[in-house]
Amino acid sequence: MLILRWLLLPFTILYTLIIWVRNQCYDLGIFQSKSFPVNTIVIGNLAVGGAGKSPLVQLLVNRLQQRYKLATLSRGYGRKTKGFRMVELSDTVESVGDEPLQFKKNHPEITVAVDENRAEGIEILQKDHDLILLDDAFQHRKVKPTCSILLFDYNSIINPIILLPTGNFRDTFDQTKRADIILITKCPPIVRQKNKDRIAQKIRRHNSKASIYYSEISYLPIKPLSSTISVDNLSDYSVLLITGIANPAPLKEYLNSSRISFQHISYPDHHDFHAKDYKKMVSTYEEISNEKKLILTTEKDSQRLDITQLNNIPVYYIPIETHIIEEDSFLKQLEEKLNH
């Protein structure tokens, strides 16, 4: 697979050129970015998925919803509808996408909306809100936000930056210059100072002003999706892990460090599960000899799994949280940008 990706290097060069020209057109004013009177926060990354945008959106909702009339606006990746749509608890993944549906279920009190054209979505939402969080919109340059928060997965930024399809980056690293705040996510418990220096040096080549913060993820107790079994100690169980996310490595590392025995069936990010997928899940589950066994998935994947296809197998999902190391400073700087 790695060799194949390097064989695609000519396409990477062409893709890089296209992205560079597009960014130049915005930087030179040939293409216009629009500002709005309502406060907007863009949360995004340069790589493809897996940086922890959704947990950060949920953290910001928790911290800011008491002070602002807040809405989240996403593209609604994978949905089969078009245009602007308010997300309701009765919606499905097919109508609004998995992450917006997750936001709504976790925060039914706030407005959650989807629109592939973020500028048009803001036009609608700004009438009734004073803060809009735009999930995964760093590349949506039609919008000039009040504040841009750029995320980098810790492992991605310490390694070479290579664009698609050879690498995993969808935008050139020089676009770091547009960020107001940079958050390094999914960090190990201890980040050595020499690695912090390397990261800072890499970023400062393009952005001398943005503050750099570090964050960790933590996994919360599992929750039942379809089960009446009380699981006191997951390490007593054999687990069939089902993921359709960009980067399942941190979850696998967590299960390994917790000494939890598991088999893993991995699907692409936002995977639309089909009958053959459920058949494979059921057959793999039935082959596990331990009587104490269950299926475990991520919270995002739980929005897409059809548990009626799983023959009454106990299914649980594991919520995730992000913890910003210097959260008070992070939030203070964010408030200053919003009140500027």
Side-chain angles (χ1 to χ4, degrees):
M1 184 64 178
L2 184 60
I3 294 175
L4 176 61
R5 296 190 78 173
W6 279 107
L7 290 174
L8 295 172
L9 186 59
F11 296 98
T12 295
I13 295 170
L14 177 61
Y15 175 76
T16 302
L17 178 61
I18 293 170
I19 294 298
W20 181 84
V21 169
R22 174 181 181 270
N23 282 323
Q24 286 295 305
C25 287
Y26 275 106
D27 292 344
L28 296 173
I30 299 170
F31 297 161
Q32 295 297 312
S33 299
K34 184 176 180 180
S35 298
F36 294 86
V38 64
N39 276 321
T40 53
I41 301 175
V42 157
I43 298 150
N45 60 335
L46 300 184
V48 177
K53 296 183 296 295
S54 295
L56 179 61
V57 171
Q58 300 205 89
L59 181 146
L60 292 178
V61 169
N62 288 333
R63 301 295 187 267
L64 300 175
Q65 65 176 325
Q66 299 303 320
R67 296 194 290 281
Y68 297 91
K69 191 169 183 185
L70 184 149
T72 71
L73 179 61
S74 308
R75 173 185 173 187
Y77 187 88
R79 66 187 174 120
K80 297 178 181 178
T81 57
K82 296 292 184 181
F84 181 85
R85 185 183 178 103
M86 292 286 196
V87 179
E88 305 295 342
L89 289 172
S90 57
D91 273 318
T92 64
V93 169
E94 287 75 18
S95 60
V96 297
D98 50 15
E99 288 166 342
L101 187 58
Q102 178 182 324
F103 294 157
K104 188 63 180 180
K105 288 180 178 179
N106 286 339
H107 300 281
E109 71 281 1
I110 71 166
T111 298
V112 177
V114 293
D115 196 334
E116 61 272 20
N117 188 321
R118 308 307 205 287
E120 291 182 1
I122 294 170
E123 291 278 8
I124 296 170
L125 292 171
Q126 67 179 349
K127 303 169 188 175
D128 301 307
H129 302 86
D130 51 24
L131 175 60
I132 301 172
L133 305 180
L134 292 99
D135 179 37
D136 197 14
F138 195 79
Q139 281 75 37
H140 198 84
R141 296 199 60 181
K142 290 181 180 179
V143 174
K144 187 175 182 180
T146 311
C147 181
S148 287
I149 304 175
L150 182 60
L151 279 59
F152 287 100
D153 173 278
Y154 176 79
N155 287 321
S156 74
I157 196 169
I158 63 175
N159 290 317
I161 308 297
I162 304 173
L163 268 65
L164 295 166
T166 301
N168 293 320
F169 277 74
R170 53 181 167 172
D171 210 339
T172 53
F173 193 73
D174 68 307
Q175 292 306 300
T176 304
K177 67 187 179 184
R178 295 191 284 115
D180 299 296
I181 297 173
I182 294 172
L183 183 64
I184 312 301
T185 65
K186 301 184 179 181
C187 295
I190 298 175
V191 180
R192 296 181 178 180
Q193 188 58 47
K194 68 176 183 179
N195 286 338
K196 286 186 176 182
D197 293 341
R198 281 177 58 198
I199 290 169
Q201 184 179 35
K202 203 169 190 176
I203 290 170
R204 294 305 178 214
R205 292 173 191 157
H206 304 287
N207 189 323
S208 61
K209 296 180 179 179
S211 296
I212 302 171
Y213 295 91
Y214 291 82
S215 70
E216 303 170 347
I217 57 172
S218 64
Y219 292 97
L220 303 180
I222 63 173
K223 294 185 177 182
L225 189 61
S226 67
S227 178
T228 57
I229 301 172
S230 177
V231 178
D232 296 321
N233 189 354
L234 191 57
S235 61
D236 293 336
Y237 287 74
S238 293
V239 171
L240 176 59
L241 177 65
I242 307 295
T243 63
I245 57 176
N247 181 18
L251 176 54
K252 293 168 66 177
E253 290 171 7
Y254 167 76
L255 295 177
N256 281 321
S257 66
S258 301
R259 299 186 178 181
I260 294 167
S261 173
F262 69 95
Q263 297 182 49
H264 183 206
I265 301 178
S266 178
Y267 296 96
D269 197 16
H270 300 282
H271 181 69
D272 186 10
F273 297 110
H274 297 288
K276 64 179 182 179
D277 300 320
Y278 291 110
K279 185 177 180 180
K280 180 178 181 179
M281 294 177 204
V282 171
S283 63
T284 304
Y285 178 85
E286 290 176 345
E287 290 171 0
I288 298 174
S289 58
N290 188 355
E291 290 185 3
K292 300 179 76 172
K293 54 186 178 179
L294 56 85
I295 285 179
L296 181 66
T297 191
T298 68
E299 187 171 10
K300 185 171 83 168
D301 290 317
S302 73
Q303 313 301 320
R304 286 179 280 109
L305 272 179
D306 181 0
I307 57 176
T308 65
Q309 302 292 318
L310 292 172
N311 298 354
N312 296 316
I313 292 172
V315 181
Y316 290 76
Y317 68 90
I318 185 163
I320 188 174
E321 278 187 344
T322 189
H323 297 282
I324 299 172
I325 307 303
E326 297 179 353
E327 184 178 307
D328 289 345
S329 176
F330 173 89
L331 292 174
K332 181 180 178 182
Q333 182 176 355
L334 185 58
E335 289 277 11
E336 288 173 352
K337 287 291 296 181
L338 297 179
N339 295 321
H340 183 68

